[in-house]
Structure formats: structure tokens, C-alpha cells
Amino acid sequence: MNIRTLCLGFLSMQEASGYEIKKELESGKFSHFADASFGSIYPALTQMQAEGLLTVRSEEQSGRPDKKVYAITEMGLVALAKNLSVIPARDKFKSEFLFEMLFQKFLSKEHMDLVIEKQHADLTEDLARIEEKRRSNEHNNLGEGPRFVMGYGECIFRAAIGFLEAQCPRLKKSKNQAAE
Amino acid sequence: MNIRTLCLGFLSMQEASGYEIKKELESGKFSHFADASFGSIYPALTQMQAEGLLTVRSEEQSGRPDKKVYAITEMGLVALAKNLSVIPARDKFKSEFLFEMLFQKFLSKEHMDLVIEKQHADLTEDLARIEEKRRSNEHNNLGEGPRFVMGYGECIFRAAIGFLEAQCPRLKKSKNQAAE
DNA sequence: TGATGCATGTAATCCGTTACATGATTCA
DNA sequence: TGAATCATGTAACGGATTACATGCATCA
């Protein structure tokens, strides 16, 4: 799945500028399984607008550069549906963390502790983000899609955190301290 | 973590040819969190050999092209240790599956069923591979590293499979049928 | 006889990131 | 005053994949 499809998908849920898409990709519903940089988002939006998949509207802002708000068109929706109709490629999971753990015999105790703690912190942050989203949206009922994706993420992050804490009991202690 | 480090890591455990590295990356201990293609492995090996990080030995084979077996040198081990001493980048998880699920309202029921079944099959395959490795190595005690990495993988694959089966009870049924 | 596996390698190409350029505002 | 946030965009670069080229053996 390329950046074009990613942007189309995003814009099928809400209008947004390139800047907003990038920010939401970092912290929103997509954050744990997709991302992109400005250098790829901006050209993609310009291009798709030229192709008629999107419309633009310039929003003036006091003391800020104009914001270009993009919205998806009928043609854009058709393109999105088409891109979604292929069998997805196998998940790609790249983990430098696991790579280092595999070769932990070359690592110092201090480095390993640091690395494991970082991994635990990252996972906890990811999980917290999902749970926050869930809480903030529990009044307006989410669609099936977002609910499924959040559930999936929640479930694997919980499992990974559980594994780390089972392997390194000290992680659990610091968690309890934080809760007090 | 780049392909050079990946190859160094692999060769720190066993001598191998480029072809063998690729095959083992597809199905071995690394398979769920790293991969690479011939087009990147071969040049990396040639280059690192020229730099003195590896040695080569040509193995003649009847009716087959010669096999170039690479082994890591002292310098290679030092380079590996250095590459491992950095704080790992955050895990990158790219899932076209979750992307499609997020936009399932644009999908037909048939397509969704297909996609979910594929995901279930992929995860089951990954889990089976880890469990097979574990069984085949239970006599000779594995190092800490491989045990940790396998445990981590097992744990997240189990969690993901569990989630899918909880969401789609029909998956569980077909699994039981296969076990009979 | 045609696909698949073993075995290596190069070149073209793609896709995306990083860095750079610009510029106003707000907060410390 | 310097950093961070908002906001858009381009160009250089990197890193890896895909396709191509070669060739023998085996299996269906």
C-alpha cells in the first residue's frame, strides 16, 4: 500500500491538509501500522488533485501560511475502493530491537537494560495512545473498521508488554510505582 | 539496521553462502522481523569481503555453480559489535491487512472473508515455524538471545491469532476440523 | 518439456526519507 | 534570542526490490 492510497483513505474519513495528515499519522488511528513523511505526502496530494481524485481549498490564516485543505472526490473514492480490492501483502515487521536481542551475547548488561526499557516504554506509549482514542470515542460509536484495528493493536501491544514484564520483572515494579 | 549488519549477524552464527542466507532469512529464526533480497545480499557480501570483514571460500559442487561460502573475521565481529551498540530504532510494523480492515466499509463481504482467512493462515504459519524451530532445538540448549526472540514472536503471533478467532468464530472451527 | 531449485551477479527502477529553503508566531 | 509549531514545497540521496542474464539438474 503506497502513500497515495494512505492519503485517499485518510481523506475518505475527513478533509485535511498535508500537514494535518502527517500529524495524525504519527498519533492517530494509523500510527501503529503506517507512516509517511512530508516529502512524500505533499507531492502525492498535488498529483492526485491534478488527476481529479482530490479537490483543494485554500484556507487563509492570520499570521500563518495558507492551509491547503484537500477533500476526496467521487473519482477518488472509486480509486480508493479499487486499491483496497487487492489481497494485502503479508505484514512486514521490522524490529531492530529483536535483532539486538538475538545477538545479546555481544552486548553489555547496561546496554541491554537500556534497550529493553526503551522497548517497554515504546510499547506502553503505543498502547496508551490506542486506549486514549478508545475512551475519547466511546460516546459516538465507532465504525466496525476502526474498532477492529484498535482491538488488534491493543491485543498485540498487551501481549508484547506482558512478555517483556515476564522476562524482566523489574519493568513491572517501575510500572506499579508510577501508578501509586 | 541495514543488510550489512544483518549478514554479519547471520555469519556470526554460521558460515554460509549468499543463497543460504536468503533462504534462512525467509524461514529461519529471523523470518518474522527481518528480510532481504538477492540484489542486496550479494553486493553486501562482496563489499564486506573486500573490506576484510569476511573471508570467502569457493566450494565446488557437481553439476551446480560453485558455492561461495563466507565466514566472518575478527574485524567483522568488531564491526558487528559496534553496529549492535546503538539504541535500536522503534519497531516498524507495516500492515496492509489492518489498512484494509480499517476501510472495510468499502469492501465486499467475500473479499473481507478472504483477507481475514489469509491473515489467519499467515499468522498460523509463522507461529508453526517458530514452534518447529523450538522443538528441533530443545535437545541442544539454545542461547539466551534466540530463546528470547522466539518467545517474543510466539507471544505476539498467539495474541493476534487469538484476536482473529475471537472476532471470527468460523476460523476456530476450521482449525478444529484440521486437527481431526 | 516446462517448471522448480540451486547458484551468482548486475542494472534499472522505485519509493521514500533527509535535508534544505522560506517565513511568521508564540513561548520560554 | 533561540527553539518549537504551523505550513508548504523541492532536490538530492539512499536503500532496497525487481527484472534480467546465465546455466545445469531434477522432477512431474
Side-chain angles (χ1 to χ4, degrees), chain B:
Chain B
M1 172 216 35
N2 51 25
I3 276 172
R4 286 168 63 95
T5 312
L6 194 58
C7 291
L8 285 175
F10 190 97
L11 294 170
S12 78
M13 303 194 297
Q14 56 184 285
E15 295 188 347
S17 67
Y19 191 85
E20 286 163 351
I21 291 177
K22 159 84 171 162
K23 289 293 131 183
E24 259 295 299
L25 248 42
E26 273 168 13
S27 62
K29 284 194 282 294
F30 297 79
S31 60
H32 59 286
F33 66 93
D35 72 304
S37 62
F38 289 128
S40 52
I41 292 173
Y42 285 127
L45 292 175
T46 310
Q47 198 194 345
M48 291 197 289
Q49 186 255 314
E51 291 170 16
L53 308 183
L54 305 177
T55 56
V56 216
R57 159 170 59 85
S58 244
E59 228 172 60
E60 286 160 64
Q61 298 186 121
S62 55
R64 290 274 160 72
D66 283 10
K67 190 198 280 192
K68 284 184 161 182
V69 179
Y70 291 89
I72 198 165
T73 63
E74 273 305 310
M75 265 179 72
L77 283 170
V78 171
L80 174 59
K82 196 192 154 199
N83 293 352
L84 289 173
S85 70
V86 299
I87 299 294
R90 207 185 179 104
D91 287 351
K92 278 192 177 68
F93 177 61
K94 299 230 169 176
S95 178
E96 294 192 6
F97 166 71
L98 286 184
F99 187 77
E100 287 206 9
M101 284 303 106
L102 188 56
F103 298 103
Q104 57 181 251
K105 62 176 170 181
F106 296 115
L107 267 44
S108 70
K109 177 83 171 55
E110 299 81 56
H111 182 73
M112 251 196 63
D113 286 353
L114 207 71
V115 162
I116 291 179
E117 250 150 61
K118 179 184 175 282
Q119 180 75 0
H120 187 262
D122 287 348
L123 291 168
T124 304
E125 200 186 302
D126 284 332
L127 181 60
R129 190 148 47 213
I130 293 176
E131 263 156 15
E132 202 203 319
K133 284 276 159 194
R134 183 185 293 276
R135 259 197 307 281
S136 74
N137 286 39
E138 72 190 345
H139 45 283
N140 62 346
N141 48 344
L142 286 151
E144 283 272 310
R147 220 179 324 132
F148 183 97
V149 171
M150 282 185 182
Y152 195 99
E154 213 174 323
C155 150
I156 67 169
F157 287 131
R158 280 247 171 73
I161 292 170
F163 179 81
L164 286 186
E165 290 179 355
Q167 297 292 308
C168 315
R170 78 172 188 290
L171 293 170
K172 201 149 194 175
K173 265 181 230 150
S174 65
K175 188 187 161 196
N176 294 343
Q177 281 171 350
E180 277 164 27

Side-chain angles (χ1 to χ4, degrees), chain A residues 13-132:
Chain A
M13 303 193 298
Q14 55 184 284
E15 295 189 346
S17 66
Y19 190 86
E20 286 162 352
I21 291 177
K22 159 83 171 163
K23 290 292 132 182
E24 258 296 297
L25 249 41
E26 272 168 15
S27 61
K29 284 194 281 295
F30 298 80
S31 59
H32 59 286
F33 66 92
D35 72 302
S37 62
F38 289 128
S40 52
I41 292 172
Y42 285 127
L45 292 175
T46 311
Q47 197 194 343
M48 291 198 290
Q49 187 255 314
E51 291 169 18
L53 308 182
L54 305 176
T55 56
V56 217
R57 159 170 58 84
S58 245
E59 227 171 63
E60 286 159 65
Q61 298 186 120
S62 56
R64 289 272 160 71
D66 283 9
K67 189 198 281 191
K68 284 182 160 184
V69 180
Y70 291 88
I72 198 164
T73 63
E74 273 306 310
M75 266 179 70
L77 283 171
V78 171
L80 174 59
K82 197 191 153 200
N83 293 351
L84 289 173
S85 70
V86 299
I87 299 294
R90 209 184 178 103
D91 288 350
K92 278 192 177 71
F93 177 60
K94 300 230 169 177
S95 178
E96 295 192 7
F97 166 71
L98 285 184
F99 187 77
E100 288 205 8
M101 285 302 107
L102 188 57
F103 298 104
Q104 57 181 251
K105 62 176 169 181
F106 296 115
L107 267 44
S108 69
K109 177 84 171 56
E110 299 80 55
H111 182 74
M112 252 197 61
D113 286 353
L114 207 71
V115 162
I116 291 178
E117 249 151 62
K118 178 184 176 282
Q119 181 74 0
H120 187 262
D122 286 348
L123 291 167
T124 304
E125 200 187 303
D126 283 332
L127 181 61
R129 191 149 46 212
I130 293 176
E131 262 155 15
E132 202 203 318

